[in-house]
Amino acid sequence: MDQDKAVDAEVDTEQLAQRYRSLVEHTPDGIVVHERGIVVYANPATARMLAADSADQVIGRPLTRFVHPGSVPSMVDRISRLTTAGAASEPTEMELIRIDGEIVPVETVSVLTAWHDHLAYQVVIHDLTAQRAAEAAQRRAEQHFTTVVSQLEEGVVVIDRNGRIESANPAAVRIFGTDERTGELIGATIDELPLILLDANAQPLPASRHPVARTLATGETITGYVFGVDRHDGQRRWLSGSSRLLNPGDSDSPAVSSFADITEFRASRSQLEFQATHDALTGLANRSLILSQLANALAASEDLPVSTVLFIDLDGFKAINDTLGHAIGDTVLQIVAQRLQRALRGTDLVGRLGGDEFLVLLSGRTSRVDLDSLVPRLRSTMAEPIIARGHRIEVNASIGVTELETGDNRTPESVLHDADLAMYRAKPTGRREGTSLGRRPTNTHAS
């Protein structure tokens, strides 16, 4: 009975040993056994790692033949500390030398273990070549990314979960107008920087309402928003930005905010819009803007934003151009434009239709009493002598008036036409009073 148990135990031991040998032979890590400095066993993975044709090219050779000289002293020190069977060293990185002379970075663990009834050192070797290559590739990618980002004209800022700036490229520093060494940016929150955030309407924008705060809170990617910054040097810069998580799959990911300076573009667009809607000579609203404002007023269902339209024509202006020249004529038009703007409220719209014709849209409600006093005052203001290049010039104006009513079904062009007719009735033919009142065609009359 005892003999049967002994046989079974022996079989089990042999099977276990066979499984261990199979594991060692097929593991991707190298396994080497050395005693007294000579390699006595090397598995196939070790042969491949050392560029050997087979393990026979390794077995029987000094261990130091395959260890880089720089790694030998620390290796000897490690294994000298292994004094009892089963003792193992800490995982340690070192370098091996292949048969063809190439260097292999590895991580090793040495174990003092029984080997054919005596102690030897078994070494498990993990090849770090692929890992080092991946690390090098990552470093190159990071360096490439850093180089590219640092050269961008677009500002790039990385903000952590607490709203603090982790990194900022040179463009961001330049746009924000902060310290050139980024010292004022890194580690600071937006609230701590010497600048004020503005929304697209130039109103103060709390950092908690900035789109990057929403990205940090929700993970949402936001693009194409416009915001402004008032810098400590007094400059206001307008920016077009986007924000997204740096690592979308990571709930603790910081956000990256990128933004382009559109200050000049915004100013250029505003200038183009102004030029498209204003008279080049006087800076007043042009016919297009006048008609647009009239259309909005006529479309109002209750309180009219415009109550009255004044059509103003300069009497005898053609003679000024013919006798004194167009340059002086242009000066007269500019002065008349300035006088009209000064004589009216800031909410009233003053425009030039062309030539010597001007138009005024009076805002809000205007009583007949106010209107009867306003028109003579405007005529008197424009009649004051103008000194242009040594010439004393007196300009009289004829003013036609048409009032708008709630539910007025006229078109903007019809309103201008009625005001024009009223102005012609006010012309000083037969020395008539230079004011005429025109409403809808059925109510148009001269005063």
Side-chain angles (χ1 to χ4, degrees), residues 211 214-215 220-226 240-244 258:
R214 196 165 86 202
T215 294
E220 179 183 359
T221 294
I222 308 172
T223 61
Y225 55 82
V226 174
S240 174
S242 64
S243 58
R244 55 180 53 81
S258 57

Side-chain angles (χ1 to χ4, degrees), residues 26-27 52 55 65 70 111 139 163 182 197 207 219 228 233 248 255 264 273 309 315 353 368 416 420 429:
H26 294 93
T27 181
R65 161 62 183 84
V111 181
R139 285 194 298 273
T182 74
L197 291 177
D233 60 3
E264 282 71 26
E273 290 174 352
V309 177
D315 299 328
L353 294 178
R368 182 57 186 273
L416 291 190
D420 188 20
T429 303

Side-chain angles (χ1 to χ4, degrees), residues 178-226:
T178 51
D179 187 87
E180 292 182 358
R181 297 181 300 278
T182 74
E184 292 184 82
L185 286 178
I186 307 306
T189 65
I190 294 296
D191 289 335
E192 296 170 340
L193 296 178
L195 52 82
I196 299 173
L197 291 177
L198 306 170
D199 63 20
N201 297 315
Q203 297 302 307
L205 176 67
S208 59
R209 287 182 46 229
H210 191 278
V212 74
R214 196 165 86 202
T215 294
L216 285 169
T218 67
E220 179 183 359
T221 294
I222 308 172
T223 61
Y225 55 82
V226 174

Side-chain angles (χ1 to χ4, degrees), residues 142-163:
E142 290 174 352
Q143 184 177 11
H144 176 73
F145 174 78
T146 300
T147 300
V148 170
V149 170
S150 68
Q151 298 299 316
L152 290 175
E153 289 297 318
E154 187 178 51
V156 179
V157 173
V158 177
I159 302 172
D160 69 15
R161 306 298 300 182
N162 296 317

Side-chain angles (χ1 to χ4, degrees), residues 315-434:
D315 299 328
F317 181 75
K318 183 176 183 300
I320 296 174
N321 276 338
D322 292 343
T323 58
L324 300 179
H326 286 279
I328 291 180
D330 288 347
T331 300
V332 170
L333 292 174
Q334 291 169 335
I335 293 174
V336 167
Q338 294 166 7
R339 289 180 176 179
L340 282 173
Q341 288 179 304
R342 286 196 300 266
L344 294 162
R345 299 166 299 180
T347 55
D348 298 327
L349 180 66
V350 183
R352 180 184 176 216
L353 294 178
D356 60 348
E357 295 179 336
F358 296 84
L359 203 79
V360 175
L361 304 184
L362 297 179
S363 64
R365 294 183 177 277
T366 305
S367 69
R368 182 57 186 273
V369 173
D370 291 338
L371 192 59
D372 287 343
S373 63
L374 173 63
V375 172
R377 179 162 58 84
L378 288 179
R379 295 181 65 247
S380 176
T381 296
M382 287 184 286
E384 294 176 3
I386 295 173
I387 306 301
R389 301 189 184 185
H391 297 279
R392 179 185 175 90
I393 305 169
E394 294 185 4
V395 177
N396 293 310
S398 297
I399 302 177
V401 181
T402 186
E403 297 177 76
L404 303 186
E405 300 174 2
T406 303
D408 200 319
N409 58 9
R410 287 178 293 175
T411 65
E413 290 81 1
S414 296
V415 173
L416 291 190
H417 177 70
D418 291 344
D420 188 20
L421 288 178
M423 181 274 298
Y424 271 106
R425 294 192 187 97
K427 282 289 183 183
T429 303
R431 296 295 178 184
R432 288 189 304 173
E433 176 65 33

